[in-house]
């Protein structure tokens, strides 16, 4: 209670300050007059009485000061005075202020943007209930590769596991249904998920409900969809009445049962709808295409659950050796699985880079403040002599630093507000990238970083200025009694050079790696190809029936007839966009599952190799006749692996399981890597699409023209063939390849930007230090010039100083760089973290930057006029 | 500095002010006059400590102030004891008596 009243009083004193001062004046004046009257009544003259009363009263200012003390506002008063002083100082030295605030703004701004990015993508917990209890569930191939689940295995794990209290799963390559909107069809992105998917995640619908596992036990999934918030806004203009409405997907009616919350996000795809998928025990056990996660039961650790599932996996392998022999199970925290190790490392590196840049900015400002403290030495000494306490002076200097930091932080906020929308809008496959914002967490980060920075750069000069040179130094203006301060500044500038070097080495390595990635040879010709993706509605084109074959045959024929088109081929995998489809094959004589090799496979049309420019090395392409469905084309590396000493054409290979079909090899083509840049060229088996009657196909249209010039002709051809079909999504092959570079490019850009700013700051640091030294040594230079030193000699004197700074910084930077580059290894493609070329270039760049920065003051030293300098004394 | 001695002096002055105000509302000058008179001119209250003391007591809520007309009809700031101040006065008086009797005991018998 007393505390509150005290605070209220102090606050009142602060807010009604003017009134209070006036009243105090009046009160004291009244007292004085009463005293004078008393004395006059005792017989003194007015003048005598007035003099005596004043003497008696003492200095009114000192009384007032003590009363103000009693008000409890002295700290606030002093702080206000410090603030005013700090602002005045900033205004009177605009160059200093601009450099300090500017470098801090860039440092803090970059750190805030990177924090916002990393926070959204990685640091913030997943938008699910108790995300720490969620683990990804994968099977592991006999070769040790984490892999997807099959339906029967999923059901067995679900039924037997005690350590996982629920398992949710989703289908890789889900359908892309077409929604009927005012007579036209719109292709949607969907996710097909098991009924328990949302309940295991602990996600509740913002409207309506999610799937109910009870409704979907054993059997057909009801025709229900759950909309994502994104899909709800995009397709239904956020109409709340959409729940319960029937919508037309691929010609069939589905009921919208709910809308997911706005912050829901799963993986990198921006799904419009979630469709139910009910796994069946009767599906093939060796057919893996499910992603899965589970929720750890209360009191079960990940290790315990992993142990239990390993045992379950072993039991399945014993019971079903033909499909499960040698397979294992792997649990990992779900957030790690969804983001991936490489992305996690990339964001860790970005956070580290921004911390280094901020540190550099602080070192830069600290050096500037030290220089200014040296200039303010006289003022400080004077105030110390006049009785100001050191603590008081330190507090004043820390307030100055804080003001500087706050202004820098405010500018950083503006910069970040400009940059964040850019980051959010980037087309990079990162989860929750579209949720990057300058929200509460980013603002708290910025505020903390601002305060910590002000401590970092303010402390050195505050301590230095108030401890150095006790007494006496009021006289010694020119003698270098500030040696300690100069040494500290040199150390700061050296660490700036070192930090800049670390960042530049990182940027250099990422750049080199990026160049290697960009030059990656995928094994086919990416230029001049337009890609069109089709997803036929199953109700009009029953899978494995005649209709899809007929449609694609006729469409390809039509497209081949378009002017400028050289070849048209289709594949079930869209390069650089889809995930891989894998299986295992062996020589036809093999029966042991362990002898089978993992391969990627695609179903393709006969002209696919020609359209993509994949060289046909032996034999011919897959046939276009429907009875030739057991023909296959394989990649050169697989041919060499299976038949090292023979021509593969004419041989047969066994597909998947011992009683799987035997495929006849009719051709061998060059190896490709069409999933990611920098990946290994995989062993590949091409089936005849003609035989499989697949509904989803990406057509590659090779042309001598600019590929996008064909867009409208392709759309017209499709509409003429089937007016009800959604228009295909079109893109260029080279465009999809560039998309694959987006993630490394983002890291490269952010690190390179940090490095560039770091170089600028380090250059400013070197310049400032050398210029300062030259100005301090002007007298000495003048004397040297007077006794015959040549300008060249004076210049080399200065350059020698600068070289010492650079050498110290580079040595430190080299040590730190070599210690840190190992963390980059995971992000580097065909680039050693210790790449000598990168190191050499970085050192050369830093030396050049340092010399340019010191050349201006050096030239000034060379032009020193002895007469003028000596006259100054 | 000499914080302790200042405290004792200040505490005593506070007590004197509170006691003086029990007679009724008074302005600063008459408080100092009154203390001087009652103590037979032994205690001379310095303005340098009177006003800080008054403002501090007010901040603690033991006295309150309002503007009124003085005996010669001028605007003056009058201080009066609050309820809380009265209670405080009792506590402080008791403590002072305890202390002073203890001190005199020591001075006489030690």
């Amino acid at each position: 209670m007393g505390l509150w009243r005290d605070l209220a009083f102090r606050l009142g004193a602060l807010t009604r300050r003017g009134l209070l001062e006036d009243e105090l004046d009046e009160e004291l004046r009244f007292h004085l007059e009463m005293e004078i009257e008393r004395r006059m009544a005792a017989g003194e003259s007015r003048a005598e009485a007035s003099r005596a009363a004043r003497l008696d009263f003492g200095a009114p200012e000192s009384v007032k000061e003590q009363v103000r003390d009693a008000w409890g506002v002295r700290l606030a008063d002093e702080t206000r005075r410090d603030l005013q002083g700090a602002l005045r100082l900033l205004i009177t030295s605009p160059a200093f202020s601009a450099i300090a605030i500017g470098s801090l703004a860039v440092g803090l701004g970059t750190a805030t943007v990177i924090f916002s990015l990393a926070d959204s993508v990685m640091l913030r917990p997943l938008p699910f209930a108790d995300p720490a209890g969620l683990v990804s569930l994968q099977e592991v191939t006999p070769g040790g590769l984490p892999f997807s689940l099959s339906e029967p295995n999923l059901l067995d794990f679900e039924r037997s596991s005690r350590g996982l209290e629920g398992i949710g799963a989703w289908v890789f390559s889900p359908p892309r249904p077409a929604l009927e909107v005012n007579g036209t069809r719109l292709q949607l992105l969907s996710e097909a998920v098991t009924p328990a998917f949302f309940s295991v995640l602990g996600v509740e619908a913002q409207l309506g409900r999610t799937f109910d596992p009870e409704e979907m036990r054993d059997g057909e999934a009801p025709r229900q969809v759950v909309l994502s918030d994104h899909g709800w806004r995009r397709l239904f203009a956020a109409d709340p009445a959409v729940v319960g409405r029937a919508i037309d997907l691929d010609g069939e009616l589905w009921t919208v049962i709910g809308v997911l919350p706005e912050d829901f996000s799963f993986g990198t795809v921006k799904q419009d709808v979630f469709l139910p998928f009910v796994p069946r025990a009767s599906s093939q056990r060796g057919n893996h295409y499910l992603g899965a996660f589970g929720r750890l039961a209360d009191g079960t650790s990940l290790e315990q659950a992993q142990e239990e599932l390993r045992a379950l996996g072993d039991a399945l392998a014993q019971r079903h050796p033909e499909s499960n022999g040698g397979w294992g199970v792997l649990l990992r925290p779900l957030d790690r699985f969804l983001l991936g190790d490489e992305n996690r490392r990339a964001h860790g590196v970005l956070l580290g880079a921004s911390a280094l840049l901020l540190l550099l900015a602080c070192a830069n400002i600290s050096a500037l403040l030290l220089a200014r403290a040296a200039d303010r030495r006289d003022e400080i000494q004077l105030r110390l002599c006049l009785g100001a306490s050191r603590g008081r002076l330190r507090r004043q200097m820390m307030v100055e630093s804080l003001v500087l930091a706050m202004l820098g932080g405010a500018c950083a906020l503006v910069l970040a507000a400009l940059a964040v929308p850019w980051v959010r809008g980037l087309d990079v496959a990162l989860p929750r990238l579209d949720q990057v914002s300058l929200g509460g967490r980013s603002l708290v980060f910025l505020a903390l970083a601002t305060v910590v920075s002000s401590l970092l750069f303010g402390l050195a000069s505050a301590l230095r200025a108030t401890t150095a040179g006790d007494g006496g130094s009021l006289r010694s203006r020119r003698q270098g009694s500030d040696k300690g301060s100069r040494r500290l500044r040199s150390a700061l500038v050296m660490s700036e050079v070192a930090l800049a070097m670390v960042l530049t080495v990182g940027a250099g390595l990422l750049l080199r790696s990026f160049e290697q990635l960009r030059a990656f040879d995928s094994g086919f010709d990416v230029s001049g190809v337009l890609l069109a993706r089709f997803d036929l509605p199953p109700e009009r084109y029953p899978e494995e029936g005649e209709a899809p074959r007929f449609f694609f045959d006729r469409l390809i024929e039509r497209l081949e007839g378009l002017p400028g088109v050289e070849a048209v081929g289709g594949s079930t995998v869209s390069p650089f966009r889809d995930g891989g489809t894998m299986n295992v094959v062996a020589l036809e004589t093999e029966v042991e599952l362990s002898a089978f090799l993992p391969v990627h496979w695609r179903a393709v049309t006969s002209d696919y190799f020609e359209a993509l420019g994949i060289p046909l090395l032996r034999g011919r392409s897959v046939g276009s006749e429907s009875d030739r469905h057991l023909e296959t084309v394989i990649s050169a590396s697989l041919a060499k692996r299976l038949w090292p000493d023979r021509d593969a054409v004419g041989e047969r290979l066994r597909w998947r399981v011992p009683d799987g079909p035997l495929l006849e090899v009719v051709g061998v083509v060059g190896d490709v890597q069409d999933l990611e840049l920098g990946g290994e060229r995989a062993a590949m088996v091409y089936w005849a699409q003609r035989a499989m009657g697949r509904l989803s196909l990406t057509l590659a249209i090779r042309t001598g023209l600019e590929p996008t010039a064909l867009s409208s002709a392709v759309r017209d051809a499709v509409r003429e063939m089937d007016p009800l079909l959604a228009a295909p999504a079109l893109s260029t092959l080279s465009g999809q390849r560039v998309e694959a570079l987006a993630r490394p490019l983002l890291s490269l850009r952010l690190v390179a930007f940090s490095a560039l700013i770091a170089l600028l700051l380090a250059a400013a640091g070197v310049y400032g230090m050398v210029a300062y030294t030259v100005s301090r040594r002007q007298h000495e230079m003048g004397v040297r010039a007077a006794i015959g030193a040549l300008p060249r000699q004076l210049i080399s004197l200065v350059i020698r100083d600068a070289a010492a700074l650079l050498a110290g910084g580079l040595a430190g930077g080299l040590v730190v760089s070599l210690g840190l580059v190992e963390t980059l290894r995971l992000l580097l493609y065909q680039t050693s973290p210790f790449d000598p070329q990168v190191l050499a270039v970085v050192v050369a760049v830093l030396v050049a930057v340092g010399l340019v920065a010191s050349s201006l003051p050096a030239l000034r030293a060379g032009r020193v006029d002895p007469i003028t300098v000596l006259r100054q004394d | 500095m000499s914080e302790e001695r200042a405290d004792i002096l200040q505490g005593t002055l506070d007590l004197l002010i509170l006691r003086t105000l029990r007679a009724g509302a008074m302005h600063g000058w008459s408080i100092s006059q009154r203390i001087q008179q009652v103590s037979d001119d032994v205690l001379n209250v310095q303005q340098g400590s009177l006003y800080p003391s008054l403002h501090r007591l007010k901040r603690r809520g033991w006295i309150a102030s309002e503007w009124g007309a003085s005996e010669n009809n001028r605007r003056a700031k009058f201080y009066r004891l609050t309820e809380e101040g009265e209670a405080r006065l009792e506590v402080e008086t008791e403590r002072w008596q305890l202390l002073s009797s203890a001190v005199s005991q020591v001075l006489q018998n030690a």
Side-chain angles (χ1 to χ4, degrees):
Chain A
M1 195 195 81
L3 182 73
W4 285 119
R5 191 176 51 211
D6 189 57
L7 268 179
F9 186 95
R10 289 188 195 212
L11 225 86
L14 277 176
T15 49
R16 297 179 292 111
R17 189 58 188 280
L19 184 68
L20 227 51
E21 291 280 348
D22 288 348
E23 288 192 357
L24 179 61
D25 275 349
E26 193 176 346
E27 190 176 16
L28 297 182
R29 207 164 45 233
F30 172 79
H31 184 104
L32 206 59
E33 280 167 18
M34 291 298 283
E35 187 66 20
I36 294 171
E37 277 174 28
R38 186 184 66 81
R39 284 175 188 267
M40 280 167 69
E44 296 180 26
S45 76
R46 174 143 207 124
E48 275 172 351
S50 166
R51 209 179 90 83
R54 276 176 216 283
L55 264 178
D56 203 31
F57 192 87
E61 262 318 306
S62 137
V63 176
K64 281 191 205 168
E65 202 48 54
Q66 288 181 56
V67 172
R68 285 184 202 123
D69 239 1
W71 290 344
V73 293
R74 197 167 93 176
L75 185 68
D77 269 3
E78 284 178 5
T79 308
R80 195 172 53 193
R81 225 168 312 150
D82 287 350
L83 284 175
Q84 283 167 348
L87 284 176
R88 199 163 46 234
L89 210 59
L90 287 178
I91 293 167
T92 49
S93 44
F96 164 85
S97 312
I99 293 176
I101 295 174
S103 51
L104 198 58
V106 175
L108 283 170
T110 311
T112 306
V113 171
I114 287 178
F115 174 82
S116 303
L117 170 67
D119 185 46
S120 187
V121 170
M122 176 170 81
L123 302 177
R124 216 182 305 161
L126 295 173
F128 311 134
D130 185 20
L134 291 168
V135 292
S136 73
L137 168 59
Q138 288 175 289
E139 294 193 53
V140 182
T141 66
L145 191 70
F147 211 72
S148 43
L149 275 72
S150 69
E151 294 183 46
N153 286 348
L154 172 76
L155 291 171
D156 284 337
F157 290 140
E158 207 172 15
R159 194 174 45 240
S160 316
S161 172
R162 298 280 163 271
L164 295 179
E165 63 180 21
I167 296 180
W170 71 98
V171 180
F172 284 128
S173 53
R176 296 190 175 199
L179 173 73
E180 193 264 354
V181 186
N182 302 329
T184 62
R185 294 261 161 199
L186 207 60
Q187 200 94 55
L188 305 187
L189 287 180
S190 86
E191 199 81 74
V193 303
T194 57
F197 185 89
F198 294 110
S199 54
V200 174
L201 289 179
V203 169
E204 306 267 351
Q206 62 165 306
L207 274 180
R209 61 180 179 91
T210 59
F211 300 125
D212 179 3
E214 292 305 315
E215 279 180 50
M216 307 192 180
R217 213 161 273 288
D218 310 320
E220 280 297 296
R223 291 200 190 282
Q224 298 175 339
V225 302
V226 174
L227 295 174
S228 71
D229 184 78
H230 163 73
W232 182 47
R233 289 174 196 283
R234 177 168 95 96
L235 306 169
F236 301 100
D239 178 7
V242 76
V243 174
R245 194 189 291 173
I247 59 172
D248 177 339
L249 291 182
D250 286 341
E252 280 164 346
L253 290 180
W254 295 66
T255 309
V256 177
I257 62 166
V259 179
L260 293 171
E262 192 181 350
D263 68 349
F264 178 84
S265 156
F266 193 82
T268 54
V269 179
K270 271 192 116 168
Q271 304 94 343
D272 297 300
V273 292
F274 287 77
L275 309 173
F277 170 83
V278 180
R280 275 176 286 203
S282 56
S283 298
Q284 280 184 310
R285 197 173 279 279
N287 215 350
H288 294 248
Y289 48 80
L290 297 177
F293 54 83
R295 184 171 288 283
L296 292 172
D298 262 349
T300 308
S301 70
L302 187 135
E303 289 72 26
Q304 289 165 330
Q306 169 73 67
E307 229 13 78
E308 183 203 35
L309 280 151
R310 197 198 320 275
L312 289 177
D314 289 348
L316 283 179
Q318 290 212 327
R319 221 171 327 138
H320 310 281
E322 73 295 340
S323 58
N324 287 37
W327 285 68
V329 184
L330 175 67
L331 297 187
R332 285 200 295 162
L334 184 60
D335 53 352
R336 298 198 156 217
F337 168 79
L338 287 179
L339 187 58
D341 290 339
E342 197 184 317
N343 279 326
R344 296 182 70 83
R345 177 57 57 87
H347 285 90
V349 165
L350 288 179
L351 283 173
S354 67
L356 291 182
L357 181 62
L358 192 54
L359 212 56
L360 203 166
C362 286
N364 196 25
I365 300 168
S366 192
L368 283 173
L369 282 174
L370 274 176
R372 202 175 60 172
D375 290 344
R376 285 169 71 189
R377 202 184 183 72
D378 292 351
E379 173 208 330
I380 288 163
Q381 284 301 333
L382 194 64
R383 293 187 54 188
L384 280 175
C385 291
L386 291 180
S389 77
R390 288 179 194 280
R392 175 82 189 74
L393 282 178
R394 274 177 208 156
R395 207 168 75 209
Q396 183 195 341
M397 302 194 81
M398 289 313 287
V399 167
E400 285 171 21
S401 301
L402 199 62
V403 167
L404 205 58
M406 305 256 257
L407 289 172
C411 295
L413 188 62
V414 175
L415 290 182
L418 293 174
V420 159
W422 173 75
V423 172
R424 186 171 45 223
L426 284 174
D427 190 12
V428 182
L430 284 171
R432 295 193 279 173
L433 182 66
D434 57 327
Q435 292 178 13
V436 174
S437 71
L438 266 185
R441 283 165 64 106
S442 301
L443 294 181
V444 169
F445 170 84
L446 175 59
L448 281 178
T450 303
V451 172
V452 170
S453 308
S454 80
L455 289 178
L456 274 180
F457 65 71
L459 221 48
S461 58
L463 291 181
R464 196 66 231 169
T466 51
T467 46
D470 269 288
S473 80
L474 266 178
R475 273 171 287 128
S476 58
R477 206 172 262 250
R478 198 156 272 163
Q479 272 72 34
S481 67
D482 60 341
K483 240 187 199 145
S485 156
R486 239 182 38 219
R487 218 172 294 144
L488 191 57
R489 265 189 86 193
S490 304
L492 281 171
V493 172
M494 280 186 202
S495 52
E496 281 181 54
V497 173
L499 287 167
M501 174 165 180
V502 174
L503 282 170
T504 315
V505 166
L509 288 172
L510 289 178
L511 177 65
R512 194 173 166 80
S513 161
F514 184 76
E515 286 306 325
Q516 300 273 26
L517 260 191
R518 200 155 66 166
F520 177 74
D521 181 3
S522 304
F524 48 87
D525 180 5
V526 293
S527 62
V529 176
L530 184 71
L531 297 170
R533 177 171 175 132
F534 293 87
D535 294 270
L536 302 182
E539 90 284 357
R540 287 190 292 126
Y541 296 89
E543 191 149 17
E544 290 170 38
E546 278 302 318
R549 287 177 201 159
F550 187 65
F551 173 82
F552 283 124
D553 280 354
R554 281 203 310 148
L555 179 61
I556 289 173
E557 208 173 291
R558 253 188 126 106
L559 294 177
E560 280 171 343
L562 290 176
V565 171
E566 291 163 6
V568 180
S571 162
T572 43
V573 168
S574 184
F576 308 119
R577 264 213 190 150
D578 290 338
T581 42
M582 294 185 70
N583 220 305
V584 286
V585 297
L587 294 174
E588 64 172 306
T589 48
E590 294 287 355
V591 286
E592 281 295 312
L593 190 65
S594 57
F596 278 65
L597 301 171
V599 293
H600 283 263
W601 65 271
R602 283 109 184 70
V604 298
T605 65
S606 8
D607 287 344
Y608 181 70
F609 304 114
E610 198 188 334
L612 240 66
I614 299 172
L616 181 66
L617 304 176
R618 302 270 317 134
R620 58 173 175 82
S621 180
V622 289
S624 52
E625 298 82 10
S626 54
D627 55 335
R628 297 261 199 68
H629 63 279
L630 290 180
E631 288 182 354
T632 183
V633 167
I634 64 175
S635 65
S637 60
L638 181 63
K640 190 148 191 224
R641 185 90 185 269
L642 292 174
W643 298 281
D645 46 3
R646 252 183 301 166
D647 185 358
V649 174
E651 299 289 340
R652 295 202 292 182
L653 61 82
R654 193 175 290 282
W655 182 246
R656 187 158 40 202
V657 279
D659 56 353
L662 285 174
L663 302 179
E664 187 194 345
V665 177
V666 297
V668 176
V669 292
D671 288 315
V672 300
Q673 168 52 268
D674 59 359
L675 295 174
E676 52 174 349
L677 294 175
E680 262 187 64
R681 294 194 179 184
M684 187 86 79
V685 172
Y686 297 93
W687 283 67
Q689 191 275 337
R690 186 76 180 75
M692 300 185 76
R694 289 278 172 149
L695 300 187
S696 294
L697 201 68
T698 297
L699 292 188
I701 305 156
R702 176 162 293 283
T703 170
L705 311 170
E706 168 61 30
T708 48
L710 289 172
S711 300
S712 54
V714 170
R715 286 207 194 93
D716 289 346
V718 175
R719 196 167 331 113
E720 279 165 31
M721 281 190 52
D722 182 348
L724 294 179
L725 206 61
L730 298 178
S731 55
T732 63
L733 180 53
S734 53
Q736 292 197 184
R737 189 187 142 94
V738 169
E739 274 170 32
L741 286 167
R743 265 187 324 194
L745 182 61
L746 177 62
S747 306
L748 171 64
R749 274 185 180 164
L750 291 175
V751 174
F753 175 77
S754 301
L756 190 69
I757 300 293
L759 283 175
L760 282 175
L761 290 179
V766 170
Y767 169 82
M769 185 69 208
V770 175
Y772 176 76
T773 316
V774 168
S775 76
R776 303 288 288 187
R777 290 174 69 183
Q778 213 158 37
H779 184 76
E780 176 206 332
M781 299 278 183
V783 174
R784 282 177 188 263
I787 58 176
L790 296 170
R792 185 167 42 82
Q793 290 168 315
L794 294 179
I795 291 174
S796 79
L797 213 63
V798 176
I799 295 290
R800 215 177 301 155
D801 266 10
L805 280 179
L806 281 177
L810 289 177
L814 191 66
V815 172
V816 179
S817 298
L818 292 181
L820 284 179
V821 284
E822 196 59 41
T823 58
L824 283 176
R825 191 183 285 278
L826 201 58
L827 304 180
L828 297 179
Y829 168 67
Q830 291 201 344
T831 307
S832 157
F834 302 100
D835 190 303
Q837 238 174 310
V838 169
L839 279 179
V841 170
V842 167
V843 168
V845 165
L846 275 159
V847 167
V849 166
L851 289 182
V852 168
S854 51
S855 64
L856 271 177
L859 289 177
R860 205 179 311 141
R863 280 199 306 267
V864 158
D865 176 12
I867 314 274
T868 343
V869 170
L870 294 177
R871 242 190 221 142
Q872 278 170 4
D873 281 343
Chain B
M1 274 208 324
S2 46
E3 296 272 354
E4 273 176 14
R5 205 177 46 188
D7 257 357
I8 293 171
L9 285 173
Q10 197 183 315
T12 317
L13 180 57
D14 287 355
L15 175 62
L16 294 177
I17 291 172
L18 292 177
R19 177 67 185 79
T20 310
L21 283 179
R22 206 161 71 169
M26 253 177 244
H27 50 70
W29 184 77
S30 54
I31 294 176
S32 71
Q33 289 302 306
R34 174 120 181 149
I35 292 176
Q36 209 164 332
Q37 279 165 18
V38 174
S39 70
D40 294 332
D41 283 341
V42 174
L43 296 174
N44 182 15
V45 181
Q46 293 293 317
Q47 335 315 327
S49 35
L50 173 67
Y51 285 96
S53 242
L54 283 170
H55 283 258
R56 191 165 23 248
L57 290 171
K58 188 182 164 193
R59 179 170 144 205
R60 289 186 183 144
W62 297 341
I63 60 175
S65 72
E66 55 210 26
W67 290 88
S70 70
E71 47 276 28
N72 53 6
N73 230 350
R74 272 217 299 261
R75 214 168 98 87
K77 199 175 187 183
F78 284 85
Y79 293 92
R80 64 178 169 77
L81 212 54
T82 62
E83 266 176 49
E84 219 176 314
E86 240 168 295
R88 188 74 200 177
L89 175 59
E90 260 173 58
V91 175
E92 290 291 323
T93 311
E94 222 167 282
R95 188 182 295 170
W96 173 258
Q97 276 160 355
L98 200 69
L99 183 74
S100 66
S101 72
V103 171
S104 0
Q105 224 170 334
V106 172
L107 291 180
Q108 282 162 15
N109 306 331

